[in-house]
Amino acid sequence: MAGKVVLHYFNGRGKMESIRWLLTVAEVEFDEVFLTTREQYLKLLSDGDLMFQQVPLVEMDGMKLVQTKAILNYIAEKHNLHGKDLKDKLMVNTHSEGLMDLMEMIMILPFAADVKTKLDNIQNKAKDRYLPVFEKALSGPIYLVGGRLSCADVQLLECTLMLEEKFAGILAEFPNLKSFQGRMTRIPAVSRFLQSGSKRKPQPDDVYVKTIMEVFDIKSPFL
């Protein structure tokens, strides 16, 4: 019998945060092992746990899963959060990948040299390229795809909250998205995750950045 799910990552958001969100909505309990030293990372490499020498790493169902999208798709499939048929799955994946593109721009900000320029770029792309797509998709339906909750909805909530941390009021021009956000935050598991003391991680700080650079032996900011 497979034991409890275990997440191996830094004590911060990064690419693992979407996995935390999805496990939470699926009501799957998980433990976390935080990477704090280079030695931990090198041991994962020497043990052959990191197929592409990268984290996140998730121990689940007797397997050691890597690659964020693959992990998210596995969790979504297992917990009926990936669309009811092949066409719905395609649309769920399309929405999810667009959201990941946007969230990854925010994730790399702590490592950027010219933060203001990158923030301006994120805000412009969010308002002109990404948010209008989701605003239109939610014109009537309460969920993005097929009238049912999917991993794309979970990521959309995560993404909109991240955007509001950086740009207060960014959803003012997107009433459907704001209503969607309100509905999603009333889901009991989501409501608990948003409370203080949950396993949701705060915005990255200097300690998070320093730890990543030490673990990966990065000498200076790379963006």
Side-chain angles (χ1 to χ4, degrees), residues 80-99:
N80 200 28
L81 293 166
H82 203 201
K84 66 182 183 297
D85 56 33
L86 192 58
K87 288 185 178 179
D88 277 3
K89 291 181 201 299
L90 170 66
M91 290 309 301
V92 167
N93 290 344
T94 302
H95 287 304
S96 291
E97 294 209 18
L99 288 160

Side-chain angles (χ1 to χ4, degrees), residues 139-192:
S139 244
I142 63 171
Y143 297 118
L144 286 172
V145 179
R148 56 194 276 182
L149 181 66
S150 74
C151 57
D153 298 298
V154 180
Q155 285 176 292
L156 180 55
L157 175 61
E158 179 190 4
C159 185
T160 57
L161 292 172
M162 289 173 71
L163 286 170
E164 286 184 319
E165 288 174 337
K166 301 298 181 187
F167 316 105
I170 192 170
L171 297 186
E173 300 170 32
F174 303 98
N176 294 337
L177 274 170
K178 196 64 184 174
S179 295
F180 164 84
Q181 196 184 63
R183 290 193 300 272
M184 288 291 291
T185 56
R186 288 193 291 273
I187 295 172
V190 171
S191 178
R192 291 192 298 271

Side-chain angles (χ1 to χ4, degrees), residues 63-75:
M63 300 180 289
K64 293 183 177 181
L65 310 177
V66 295
Q67 297 300 112
T68 307
K69 290 175 186 175
I71 296 167
L72 289 168
N73 286 346
Y74 180 80
I75 296 167

